[in-house]
Amino acid sequence: MATEDLPALSDLTGRRATRREFLVKSSILGALGPLGLAACGADESERKPGGSAASNVGVGPDAGPATAVRNADSKLDTGGHANIHQATAVPTKAPSTTFRRFDPALPPVARERTTRLQFTAQEHPIRISDDTVISAWTFGGDTPGPVVHVKQGDTVEFTLANEGSIPHSMDFHAAQIDPKVAFRSVMPGQPVSYTFRARFPGAFLYHCGTSPVLMHIGSGMVGAVIVDPPSPLPAAKEFVLVESEYYLGAAKGGVLPFDYTKMLATLPDYVVFNGRPSQYMTAPIKVKVGDRVRFYVVNAGPTHPCNFHVVGEQFDTVYLGAPPDLPLRGIQTFGVAPGGGLVFEMLADVPGEFVFVNHGFGHGQKGAIGILSVEA
Amino acid sequence: MATEDLPALSDLTGRRATRREFLVKSSILGALGPLGLAACGADESERKPGGSAASNVGVGPDAGPATAVRNADSKLDTGGHANIHQATAVPTKAPSTTFRRFDPALPPVARERTTRLQFTAQEHPIRISDDTVISAWTFGGDTPGPVVHVKQGDTVEFTLANEGSIPHSMDFHAAQIDPKVAFRSVMPGQPVSYTFRARFPGAFLYHCGTSPVLMHIGSGMVGAVIVDPPSPLPAAKEFVLVESEYYLGAAKGGVLPFDYTKMLATLPDYVVFNGRPSQYMTAPIKVKVGDRVRFYVVNAGPTHPCNFHVVGEQFDTVYLGAPPDLPLRGIQTFGVAPGGGLVFEMLADVPGEFVFVNHGFGHGQKGAIGILSVEA
Amino acid sequence: MATEDLPALSDLTGRRATRREFLVKSSILGALGPLGLAACGADESERKPGGSAASNVGVGPDAGPATAVRNADSKLDTGGHANIHQATAVPTKAPSTTFRRFDPALPPVARERTTRLQFTAQEHPIRISDDTVISAWTFGGDTPGPVVHVKQGDTVEFTLANEGSIPHSMDFHAAQIDPKVAFRSVMPGQPVSYTFRARFPGAFLYHCGTSPVLMHIGSGMVGAVIVDPPSPLPAAKEFVLVESEYYLGAAKGGVLPFDYTKMLATLPDYVVFNGRPSQYMTAPIKVKVGDRVRFYVVNAGPTHPCNFHVVGEQFDTVYLGAPPDLPLRGIQTFGVAPGGGLVFEMLADVPGEFVFVNHGFGHGQKGAIGILSVEA
C-alpha cells in the first residue's frame, strides 16, 4: 500500500471519473457475445497446454486468437540462477475473450533460490462465465494473477510494468520491506522493481496497494504467494484457492465494470474461488483415493471472511501458525480473514464428490463453491 | 450439500415460487394468537417432562394439544445396541402452536457405540416469542433439531424421512462420507439413509444441504452433533447453543415466512440461540457456584460469525482444535465461524447473573443473548 | 452488560427520543467551525504535556481553553498504595473543541498492586478530524476512554460517576464479577463502585453495558485494559489501538450524532483506531530500527472484525491465548473479534513507513489506517 493518505469518501467523484474513463475504454471492446466455455471441463489438458511449465504461472495459454499469453516459462530451466515468471503481453484491447478455467494446482516450487517475477498491471476484460464478462484490473491479464511458489528464505526479484491507464502498485504480504518505496504507485509506462526475501512459510496474498486499495483489490489485482517451509510438509496434492468478492455495475458494451460504491456497501454480486463463480462445479478438482489434499486458501476479500469448509469431509489439519506450526485437528470450518491465508489439509480416503464452499452462505453462495472429486 | 449446482440469482424466481407455495400452505394455519410462554421459566420441569429421556433429543414434548412430539426415547434402555433419536410425527398443519423454551442442556452421551437417528424433514410453524410465529423448515418440528451426543469412534445410523413439500437432505459436519450419495436431496415421501463414524471430537453443525443451501439453513434446518473425546473432558455442566440468523418476510395469516432475498442482503431480523430470541433472558440457564460450565457453541449462520462472550466472566479454556487440543486460556470473546463450532469453558466461581451474547452487537443484539445464572 | 432485558426493536422509538434530547443539548454547542489540527503532528509533545503522567491515562490535556482535562495523575507517586486514573471535569457544554491526536503509547504499568480508577460517563462533542465533530458518549470526555495498564493479579478499585443525561454503566472484560450488580446501569448523578482482580493477561475491552448495548458501545463508551503477565513479555515499544465503528446521522449545529438505525444496518461511516479516522497517517507512530513493536489491538466493534495487518511487515508473534500462550508465527493478518483483543508483535528491523490497517477494506478503508514510522 502506498503511504499516501487514502481518499475521503468525498474524493470518490474524482476516482470514479478515472474509473469511468477506463470503462469507456473497456466498452470499446464491444459486444463480446457468449463464446461458451472453451476450456470448461478440460481439466487435464489445461495443465499441460503445449508446454510443461504453464502451470508454473497458474495461467495456461488461452486457445482464443486474441488473448495469446506469452509463456515465458520455457526459460525456466535455462534461466541460470533464477525462475522467471512472466505474465505479460496480453493486448489490453482484446476484441473478444473466452472463458478459461483457472488451474488451481499449486505450480512446482522454484528450483533456484532466487525467483524473478516480471508482472504487468493491465486493465483487461475477463469472461468469468458463459454469459458474464468483467472489466478487471489484473496482474498479467487474469484474476487472480500468477501463483508464485517459493521456499522460505528464497529471494524474489520483482518488477512491475504498468500497462494500465491509472497508477498501480504491488504489495506482497510475503515481504518485509519498506512499502513507501517498494509498494509505491507507479504511473502508466513506469516500472517499479524491488527484491525481498520470503521469511515465513505460509499462504500469502499479494495485491495492488494503490489508493483506494478497496477499489484495486476489489477490481481483481490479487494473487497468491505460497512459501514452503524448510522441511517439506507431508506429501500431498496441493491446490491454491484465492477467494475474491465481485461488486459489479451495469453492463456497458456487454462488459460489467466494478463498482466502488457497491464495494463500500459490502454486498458482493459474486464471491469466487480463483476468479470465476462456481468454475470447479463443472470442472472439478480431481484427486485419487488415498491422496492427502492440501488447500492453500488465500482470501483477497476485500471485505468478508472465507469460512472454508469441505462438505462430507473434515480437515485433519489446519495450520494456524506458519506451517507446520500450531496444527488444528478435526476442523469442520475455519475462517480465513480478508487479507489473510491459511493452509487446510485432509486425507481423501473416501471416494466421492466433495463440495468445498465458503460456509458463510449469504455471501459464499454467490459462487464460492466447487467440487473436489476423489476418484477410486 | 447436494452436488447439484447452486442456482444463479436469476433462478430465485422459481425457488421463491416453491417457497410461496409453502407459505400459502402455512398461512392456512391462520391467526395463531398470542398463546403465551407456556414453558417459560419451567427450567427443570421441561427437562424431565413425563420421561427421563426427553432431554436426549433436545426437545421436550409440548403441552399443547396440537404439537405432541412422540417421545421415542423410552426405547433408550431397551433398544438393544443402539440409541434411537426420533423426532417425528408432528402434524405439519398444526392449527396452533405454543411457545416452548429449547432445553440447552447437553443430553447424556449415547450408551451404545451405535446411535440410530430417525429424523423427519418438516415444514412447521414455531412460536419463537410471545407475539411471533415463524413458518420454519425443520428436522422434527423444531429449530434447531434434536441435539445428538455421541463419542469419538461411534457409529451413527441415520435416516431422513421427507414429510415436507419440497426436496430436503441432511449434511452432517461430523461425518466423512461421499456427500453426493449420502447428503443427496430426496423428494417428499422418499427417505434417505446412511451410516457414518464420528472421527473427531468437537461441536459440529448439521443442516439441510439442499440447494439453495442458504435458504435451507436460513429457514431452520440446523442442529448440533456433540462428539466426546475418548478421555472425558473435565466434569462440567454442559450446554449446547446453536446460533441462527432469521430473515423474515411480511406476516401471512399471523405467520412470518423466511425471506431468501433478505438472507442475501445479510441483515437478519433476529439472531438467536436455540431458535428463540432472548429465550434465556426470561428463563435463564442455571448452574451452581463451583460448577465448571461448558458451552458447545455451534454457529448455523448462515452468514455471520458468533462472537461468543459471557459478560462478567472470562473463558479459562476455549478448545481451538479437537477437544482437548489447543486450549486457549483467558479468553474474553472468540468468533465461531458460520458453519463451525467451538467449545467454551469457564469456572462459575462467582455467583450472579452472567449474560452471554454474540458480542458482534449490530447482529447479536437482535436476540443472541441469554442469562447464565450462577446460584450460591 | 446490565442484566435487564435488551429492548425489542419496537422499543427504539423511546430510545431514540432519549437520544434526541441529547442531540438537542449537543446542538446548543452551535457551529464549531474548523479549528484545525491543533495537536496534529505534535507526536512527542502530546505525551508529556505539562506533566509526566498524562500518558498514564492515555489522554493528554488539550491546549484548547474549553476542554481542560484535569490531570489527577500528579498524585501517582504520592497516592499511597494505589494508582488513581481520573478522567473527569471536562465541561459537558464546551463551546468549542479542537482536534487532538489520541496518544497510542501504552502507559506505564501501575506501580502499585491496587489501581484506583475514577471514571466519569459524559456526553461530549469530540472533533475527530479537521471538519468533523461527533456528539459522543464517553468515559472522561474522549473516545476511547483512558487506557488502563495493570498486572495479572492486580486489584482494580473502580468508580463510575454518571454526569450524562441517561443511564450508563461499566463492563470490564478484564473482570470476573457479577455483572448484575457491578455492571448495573446508574442514573445521572448516581455513582457505582466495585472492585475486581485481573485474572488473565491480555488486551481487554471495557465498555458501557447499558441497554441497548449496541448504542452505548457504538456511541463511544469504550476503552482498553492491558494486563501484563507475571513474567514480562520481551522488551518492546508498546501501543494500544482500540478500533471502533462510527455510524453517524445528519449534522445538527455542526455536530454529527450517532445513529442507532445505521448501527443496526451495520454499514459504518468511519472505522477508526483510537477514535479518529486516519489520525496516524498525518502523525505517525514512531519507533526506531531494531525495536520490537507490540500492538495491543482491542476491537470495540460494535459489529465487524478487525483484520489487523501491517503493510510491508509480518507479525513474528500473535498471542492467541493469554500472552505468552499460543504464539502464532509469521502472520500477515489476523482477525480480532468484536468484543475481543489480541496482542501482535513484530521486529522493526527494516526502516520505512509501514501502514497498519484493518484489511477488511470495505469497512477498514473508512479510517482504520495509520503509519508506523520505523526510523533509522
Side-chain angles (χ1 to χ4, degrees), chain A residues 268-287:
Chain A
D269 297 296
Y270 294 100
V271 181
V272 300
F273 290 125
N274 293 342
R276 290 96 172 126
S278 309
Q279 66 180 314
Y280 305 120
M281 293 302 286
T282 40
I285 296 176
K286 294 179 182 173
V287 299

Side-chain angles (χ1 to χ4, degrees), chain A residues 138-224:
Chain A
T138 75
F139 291 113
D142 201 358
T143 181
V147 174
V148 178
H149 187 188
V150 299
K151 218 168 159 175
Q152 187 174 0
D154 278 8
T155 296
V156 176
E157 297 178 359
F158 175 75
T159 297
L160 177 70
N162 186 354
E163 298 185 355
S165 61
I166 60 172
H168 291 297
S169 61
M170 174 57 93
D171 172 342
F172 278 104
H173 285 197
Q176 295 191 15
I177 195 168
D178 182 2
K180 189 175 186 179
V181 177
F183 301 170
R184 73 181 181 277
S185 295
V186 288
M187 296 301 292
Q190 294 183 344
V192 59
S193 297
Y194 57 88
T195 298
F196 67 92
R197 218 165 51 83
R199 290 202 191 173
F200 287 106
F204 296 97
L205 178 67
Y206 65 74
H207 63 87
C208 180
T210 297
S211 177
V213 182
L214 174 62
M215 183 71 193
H216 286 254
I217 290 180
S219 298
M221 302 188 82
V222 302

Side-chain angles (χ1 to χ4, degrees), chain C residues 345-357:
Chain C
E345 281 185 25
M346 51 167 271
L347 182 61
D349 55 355
V350 179
E353 292 198 357
F354 300 83
V355 175
F356 53 89
V357 294

Side-chain angles (χ1 to χ4, degrees), chain A:
Chain A
M1 171 178 297
T3 52
E4 65 208 49
D5 206 340
L6 290 171
L9 298 187
S10 55
D11 291 350
L12 290 181
T13 311
R15 298 283 172 188
R16 277 204 209 100
T18 302
R19 198 164 58 79
R20 276 195 198 107
E21 292 164 21
F22 169 53
L23 297 182
V24 167
K25 201 177 83 176
S26 295
S27 68
I28 296 172
L29 303 176
L32 298 174
L35 299 181
L37 305 176
C40 185
D43 190 17
E44 295 311 312
S45 64
E46 76 179 317
R47 292 180 46 189
K48 300 181 186 74
S52 64
S55 67
N56 205 29
V57 292
V59 286
D62 190 293
T67 56
V69 175
R70 180 156 66 89
N71 183 356
D73 282 13
S74 57
K75 295 176 189 167
L76 249 183
D77 294 342
T78 60
H81 71 296
N83 300 289
I84 300 180
H85 296 231
Q86 216 165 356
T88 61
V90 178
T92 301
K93 300 196 179 185
S96 72
T97 185
T98 55
F99 177 87
R100 187 178 53 198
R101 178 181 183 266
F102 190 98
D103 184 2
L106 177 68
V109 69
R111 297 190 188 177
E112 311 292 336
R113 300 284 60 82
T114 295
T115 291
R116 283 189 198 141
L117 300 176
Q118 300 179 357
F119 278 23
T120 304
Q122 294 174 322
E123 295 138 10
H124 200 275
I126 300 173
R127 177 171 299 279
I128 61 168
S129 70
D130 199 22
D131 57 2
T132 305
V133 176
I134 61 173
S135 58
W137 299 354
T138 75
F139 291 113
D142 201 358
T143 181
V147 174
V148 178
H149 187 188
V150 299
K151 218 168 159 175
Q152 187 174 0
D154 278 8
T155 296
V156 176
E157 297 178 359
F158 175 75
T159 297
L160 177 70
N162 186 354
E163 298 185 355
S165 61
I166 60 172
H168 291 297
S169 61
M170 174 57 93
D171 172 342
F172 278 104
H173 285 197
Q176 295 191 15
I177 195 168
D178 182 2
K180 189 175 186 179
V181 177
F183 301 170
R184 73 181 181 277
S185 295
V186 288
M187 296 301 292
Q190 294 183 344
V192 59
S193 297
Y194 57 88
T195 298
F196 67 92
R197 218 165 51 83
R199 290 202 191 173
F200 287 106
F204 296 97
L205 178 67
Y206 65 74
H207 63 87
C208 180
T210 297
S211 177
V213 182
L214 174 62
M215 183 71 193
H216 286 254
I217 290 180
S219 298
M221 302 188 82
V222 302
V225 178
I226 309 305
V227 183
D228 286 356
S231 300
L233 298 175
K237 297 290 175 63
E238 299 184 299
F239 303 97
V240 178
L241 297 174
V242 178
E243 192 193 89
S244 306
E245 305 149 13
Y246 287 165
Y247 303 84
L248 301 169
K252 300 194 178 187
V255 177
L256 297 170
F258 282 94
D259 185 316
Y260 188 76
T261 302
K262 288 178 77 172
M263 290 178 196
L264 287 165
T266 72
L267 269 185
D269 297 296
Y270 294 100
V271 181
V272 300
F273 290 125
N274 293 342
R276 290 96 172 126
S278 309
Q279 66 180 314
Y280 305 120
M281 293 302 286
T282 40
I285 296 176
K286 294 179 182 173
V287 299
K288 300 285 184 195
V289 168
D291 282 344
R292 174 161 289 278
V293 178
R294 182 172 298 120
F295 291 104
Y296 296 88
V297 180
V298 170
N299 185 6
T303 297
H304 299 289
C306 174
N307 307 285
F308 194 62
H309 172 83
V310 177
V311 178
E313 271 293 347
Q314 297 167 305
F315 302 110
D316 62 15
T317 310
V318 177
Y319 298 105
L320 203 49
D325 274 0
L326 281 179
L328 303 178
R329 308 293 181 192
I331 299 299
Q332 60 194 304
T333 304
F334 207 87
V336 183
L342 285 175
V343 185
F344 296 77
E345 281 185 27
M346 52 167 272
L347 182 61
D349 54 355
V350 179
E353 291 197 358
F354 299 83
V355 176
F356 53 90
V357 294
N358 177 343
H359 214 292
F361 273 105
H363 303 304
Q365 180 149 319
K366 298 166 183 169
I369 182 166
I371 292 175
L372 174 73
S373 178
V374 179
E375 301 178 335

Side-chain angles (χ1 to χ4, degrees), chain B residues 133-203:
Chain B
V133 177
I134 61 173
S135 58
W137 299 355
T138 74
F139 292 113
D142 202 358
T143 183
V147 174
V148 179
H149 187 187
V150 298
K151 218 168 158 172
Q152 186 175 2
D154 277 9
T155 296
V156 176
E157 297 178 0
F158 174 76
T159 297
L160 177 69
N162 185 356
E163 298 184 355
S165 61
I166 60 172
H168 291 298
S169 60
M170 175 58 93
D171 172 341
F172 279 103
H173 285 197
Q176 294 191 15
I177 196 168
D178 182 2
K180 188 174 187 180
V181 177
F183 301 170
R184 73 182 180 275
S185 296
V186 288
M187 296 301 292
Q190 293 183 345
V192 59
S193 296
Y194 57 88
T195 297
F196 67 92
R197 214 163 55 79
R199 290 201 191 174
F200 286 106

